[in-house]
Amino acid sequence: VRCVQETDVILFFFSSRRRHTRCSGVSWARRCVQETASGLGEIFVFIGKALITAGAAAGGYFYVTKADIRHQISSPILPTIAFIIVGYVIADLFMTVYSMSVDTVLQLSLIHI
């Protein structure tokens, strides 16, 4: 991630995408931090959702196959799909709160720039 100021035009380079924004004075630094944090925040939210969902699915699968209830079900596929759905809902709720708290801290730190 790199921010360059050229004649009041800021070029944001993030994963081969370019964004041009007109700013002046100190606001270019704020805009640079916001754009960088926004892109990185999206990546962390996606990774967090994926890891929580995968952990819930793996934990559910191992519970269903290794517990005493494995003789009561014919296949572990349907319970695992249910664990994936519930894990994704929990991951989405958790990462929404996490993202909001990170944005709040970022906004508060930008006030002091």
Side-chain angles (χ1 to χ4, degrees), residues 9-84:
V9 175
I10 300 168
L11 304 174
F12 294 100
F13 295 91
F14 186 75
S15 68
S16 74
R17 289 189 310 194
R18 292 184 182 178
R19 298 179 184 161
H20 302 281
T21 308
R22 290 212 165 269
C23 299
S24 63
V26 178
S27 65
W28 78 270
R30 288 183 180 171
R31 184 69 110 168
C32 179
V33 171
Q34 282 178 332
E35 292 294 325
T36 303
S38 174
L40 291 175
E42 291 174 15
I43 292 172
F44 281 119
V45 167
F46 175 76
I47 291 172
K49 285 181 184 179
L51 289 176
I52 292 170
T53 303
Y61 176 78
F62 289 127
Y63 175 73
V64 169
T65 56
K66 301 295 182 190
D68 294 333
I69 63 170
R70 71 176 174 202
H71 302 293
Q72 298 174 356
I73 60 171
S74 60
S75 174
I77 293 174
L78 189 60
T80 303
I81 291 173
F83 279 113
I84 289 171

Side-chain angles (χ1 to χ4, degrees), residues 86-100:
V86 170
Y88 180 77
V89 169
I90 291 171
D92 189 40
L93 292 172
F94 178 78
M95 294 310 290
T96 299
V97 172
Y98 173 77
S99 176
M100 191 181 324

